Amino acid sequence: MRSPFKFSLSSMLKQHRRWEKTLTKAVKATRKALVSASSTKPPAPKPTAKPRSATRLEEIKAFGSNPGHLRMFRYVPPDLPKKSPLVVVLHGCHQSAEAYDKGSGWSTLARERGFAVVYAEQKRSNNPNLCFNWFRPSNVTRDRGEVMSIRQMVAKMATGHAIDRKRVFVTGLSAGGAMASAMLAAYPDVFRGGGIIAGLPYGAARDVHRALAAMKSAPERAGQEWGDLVRAASPVKRDFPTVSIWHGTKDHTVSVNNADALLLQWLDVHGLESDAYAQSEVDGHLHRVWKDAGGRIAVELYLIDGMGHGTPLKPRPVSRAKADTPGPYMLDAGISSSMHLATAWGLKKPALLSALKQAAG
């Protein structure tokens, strides 16, 4: 009987074995190709660590005997030239150096305009509210306590970065503003100018009880009495620093009459009459200036209309580098105290300074 299939059974078995060999070779070739490809494939990237919050400030652990037990932070722009200015910044209560820098934008200005910044930061072991102890004689007397620690920070920056010792400035908010007053009084030979924001005059209090009372209402003293406190704070009797006073008219933490007392104090120190001022409006706020015999602005006052307790800011557009960022005690008032202080102190952008020199020539 003939087979119904076209091919014989033996032929079909031979064909099946040939297909098995061909399939086995194909599988081996595919495996070899896969192994070769995997050996040349770049390794998978390792997971990156979660980015930390950005800050320009660097802590400096050793800067002297540090009798006030403060912390020191600095910002030095890349390639800072020798003989550059230095700004000392003092935060307010319940703040840190980093928080104040984020709000005030001093490190941004330093990078843009070519100067160094140093921050003193309070410790809770010194004051539970992180306030500088501006009311304790042991901390505001020349070469003692917290003022001495801040003075040592200036010396550290001066030697480490060849800072121009004739262009050192200080500014602060609230308790930091009161401590800025103390630095100007205790070290008029160190500072060329200062900015006191929502602060108090030097010698307004000598203990916590009187400090709280002074914050509600500055002690009533004649201009000469206020001035004598500054003159007694240091052996230096001439070339006192310029002073810029900033205060909100709605400040219910530090009464605005402290700005009046600060004016009496520094006008007397500079020998200026209280009514001999020029008045203008800057960004919608009252601005008064008192000039010395040489025509230099010795004392100025900014009264920020409607502002409460804090540092006045004028935030930049999103497209520009961040500076003047609102937050606790950092208030959008349409005027930047940091920007105006830097300009008043001659800390101008290099391009602008060059253009001014060319225009003058």
Side-chain angles (χ1 to χ4, degrees):
M1 184 175 180
R2 296 184 62 181
S3 171
F5 299 105
K6 186 177 181 179
F7 300 104
S8 66
L9 181 60
S10 60
S11 297
M12 291 177 64
L13 289 173
K14 288 181 180 178
Q15 187 71 20
H16 178 69
R17 283 194 290 269
R18 283 198 294 268
W19 275 108
E20 280 187 337
K21 289 181 181 179
T22 301
L23 183 61
T24 301
K25 289 181 180 179
V27 169
K28 289 182 178 179
T30 302
R31 286 177 178 173
K32 186 176 180 181
L34 289 172
V35 170
S36 176
S38 64
S39 64
T40 58
K41 185 179 180 180
K46 295 181 180 180
T48 56
K50 186 178 181 180
R52 295 180 296 177
S53 59
T55 177
R56 291 193 178 103
L57 304 185
E58 173 193 8
E59 183 170 8
I60 304 301
K61 297 288 189 179
F63 54 89
S65 59
N66 190 17
H69 308 291
L70 302 177
R71 298 175 71 186
M72 173 183 174
F73 293 84
R74 72 180 176 190
Y75 173 71
V76 180
D79 304 318
L80 183 73
K82 294 182 179 179
K83 294 295 182 181
S84 292
L86 172 67
V87 176
V88 179
V89 187
L90 307 173
H91 62 78
C93 299
H94 306 291
Q95 290 182 316
S96 65
E98 182 178 345
Y100 196 82
D101 185 63
K102 179 182 179 182
S104 64
W106 274 109
S107 65
T108 297
L109 287 174
R111 178 176 53 81
E112 292 177 344
R113 301 191 178 198
F115 59 89
V117 179
V118 62
Y119 278 87
E121 185 177 276
Q122 184 60 282
K123 296 179 180 179
R124 291 197 186 278
S125 55
N126 293 335
N127 188 297
N129 293 319
L130 296 178
C131 307
F132 290 103
N133 292 302
W134 59 271
F135 47 85
R136 296 192 184 280
S138 60
N139 278 303
V140 296
T141 299
R142 184 180 172 105
D143 297 341
R144 292 181 62 189
E146 292 178 12
V147 292
M148 181 58 175
S149 291
I150 298 169
R151 171 67 182 91
Q152 289 176 343
M153 295 178 196
V154 173
K156 177 74 173 180
M157 294 294 291
T159 56
H161 301 284
I163 293 298
D164 185 351
R165 293 177 183 268
K166 294 182 179 180
R167 291 192 292 166
V168 179
F169 307 91
V170 62
T171 182
L173 164 68
S174 191
M179 186 56 80
S181 297
M183 296 305 299
L184 295 171
Y187 297 103
D189 50 332
V190 173
F191 296 99
R192 184 176 175 180
I196 303 168
I197 305 171
L200 298 95
Y202 178 70
R206 295 178 60 84
D207 54 46
V208 174
H209 177 74
R210 280 179 278 192
L212 293 173
M215 290 168 64
K216 291 182 179 179
S217 183
E220 293 187 10
R221 291 177 182 147
Q224 184 173 343
E225 290 180 272
W226 283 118
D228 286 343
L229 290 170
V230 171
R231 284 183 285 268
S234 166
V236 178
K237 303 302 179 188
R238 58 184 179 83
D239 297 331
F240 285 98
T242 63
V243 178
S244 182
I245 301 164
W246 295 69
H247 220 109
T249 60
K250 299 295 185 181
D251 191 333
H252 300 301
T253 301
V254 177
S255 173
V256 69
N257 67 3
N258 279 284
D260 298 330
L262 276 163
L263 269 178
L264 289 175
Q265 185 166 66
W266 287 100
L267 289 175
D268 184 77
V269 167
H270 283 281
L272 300 172
E273 298 295 330
S274 61
D275 58 353
Y277 60 82
Q279 181 170 309
S280 62
E281 188 176 281
V282 178
D283 292 333
H285 303 287
L286 183 144
H287 179 222
R288 290 177 177 173
V289 299
W290 288 260
K291 295 183 179 181
D292 60 18
R296 180 189 69 157
I297 296 178
V299 181
E300 66 176 353
L301 169 68
Y302 285 89
L303 286 180
I304 311 305
D305 186 47
M307 190 183 79
H309 187 66
T311 295
L313 310 176
K314 186 177 183 179
R316 297 184 178 189
V318 177
S319 59
R320 296 188 61 194
K322 286 187 177 180
D324 283 36
T325 304
Y329 307 110
M330 313 300 291
L331 309 178
D332 183 354
I335 183 171
S336 172
S337 55
S338 302
M339 189 79 71
H340 282 284
L341 286 172
T343 301
W345 294 336
L347 310 179
K348 298 180 174 64
K349 294 182 180 180
L352 177 59
L353 186 59
S354 176
L356 289 174
K357 287 183 178 179
Q358 290 179 2

